Amino acid sequence: MRKIPLIIDTDPGIDDAVAISFAMFHPKVDLKLITTVAGNVSVDKTTENALKLVEFFGSDVPVARGCQEPLLKPLEDSSEIHGESGMDGFDFGTPTRKVIPEHAVEALRKTLLESKEPVTLMPIAALTNIALLFKLYPETKSKVKEIVLMGGSLSRGNTTTAAEFNIFTDPEAAAILFESGVKITMIGLDVTSRAVLMQKEVEQIKTMNRAGEMFAALFSHYRGGSMKTGLKMHDVCALAAIVEPELFDFADTFVEIETGKGPANGATVADLKMKYHRETNSTVALDVHVEKFREWFLEMLEQTK
Ligand code: RIB
Ligand code: CA
């Protein structure tokens, strides 16, 4: 079976940790590179967290450190959701693994240009690195098969009424991607907030294997939802959309990013009725089949060792 060449751009981040872990072990995925960016916490911490994960699993996937702040806005982190370290709750120890010397943008360019076939990009954080890649090296766009991102929302935001965190953190970067002409699939907050694990699943994963034990420990510090309403597995939905798209319903549309300075800053406005646009620029997830998602989650965990 031909594997999907994949690069994950990430700000671990407790929900990022699940997405990265599952991708490392998925039989359909060839994870070629992990690039980090400032978002949930500083880029120093998101990079250290990515190194903790590759070391925990003994993976040889290279990690490249990326941008330490958004293109224009100051960084406002979400350590209140993920803890001071960005992955509170489990003691990984200090990783001995080091980042590769190239900046994430250079590592993205090199990996894309060297790949024999187009690569899928899976950004699950602010889009700063990828926006810079497209601006500095536009020739790399032709080597991107598609971008499947967790971010945005077809309804309310989580950081402001209008905006989801990844897009709110760097709206200018998101605008660059949605205007790039590269194929984009957006898995928004309205959908990922339904992809929740309840107490029953958390208890189940705790004793399944060492990855489940680690996830359960992280989840005890994760404030993306609650045990009562469910823990929101935002980022792993991007991976699910790549390897198991039938878990979701999709629509092609035109998404505009609000970069104005008002209360709508960072909103992803989807023209779902195509009233204002003739062409589409993206595919958006409309819904997730929650019970099937939970079954998929447990199957993925079984193979994540
Ligand atoms: O809004 C949810 C997104 O913001 C997720 O990617 C989470 O990790 C945070 O980065
Ligand atoms: Ca994230």
Side-chain angles (χ1 to χ4, degrees), residues 16-53:
D16 302 67
V18 176
I20 294 166
S21 305
F22 283 4
M24 278 182 200
F25 289 88
H26 199 290
K28 286 186 195 170
V29 167
D30 172 15
L31 182 55
K32 302 178 87 64
L33 173 67
I34 296 170
T35 51
T36 63
V37 68
N40 284 322
V41 288
S42 71
V43 72
D44 287 344
K45 292 179 181 176
T46 60
T47 304
E48 164 120 347
N49 291 338
L51 292 169
K52 286 176 184 172
L53 289 167

Side-chain angles (χ1 to χ4, degrees), residues 141-153:
K141 290 183 195 175
S142 64
K143 296 302 296 280
V144 176
K145 180 183 176 202
E146 62 174 335
I147 295 171
V148 182
L149 66 90
M150 190 279 139
S153 174

Side-chain angles (χ1 to χ4, degrees), residues 74-139:
L75 175 67
E76 294 174 44
D77 77 20
S78 59
S79 50
E80 75 282 359
I81 305 287
H82 301 268
E84 268 315 299
S85 73
M87 278 190 345
D88 280 12
F90 184 83
D91 182 3
F92 290 88
T94 305
T96 55
R97 188 69 63 85
K98 300 295 178 212
V99 290
I100 58 173
E102 293 87 350
H103 185 280
V105 174
E106 300 302 329
L108 278 158
R109 174 177 181 267
K110 188 163 178 278
T111 306
L112 286 168
L113 295 184
E114 287 177 357
S115 176
K116 292 188 185 60
E117 56 187 310
V119 178
T120 297
L121 301 185
M122 189 179 108
I124 49 177
L127 297 164
T128 316
N129 289 334
I130 302 176
L132 279 179
L133 172 76
F134 286 175
K135 284 296 177 190
L136 286 169
Y137 305 115
E139 70 278 13

Side-chain angles (χ1 to χ4, degrees), residues 11 13-16 39-40 78 82 124-126 150 158-159 164-166 189 222 234-235:
D11 61 345
I14 290 173
D15 61 320
D16 302 67
N40 284 322
S78 59
H82 301 268
I124 49 177
M150 190 279 139
N158 57 357
T159 308
E164 177 278 329
F165 179 77
N166 289 340
L189 189 69
Y222 179 47
H234 299 297
D235 288 337

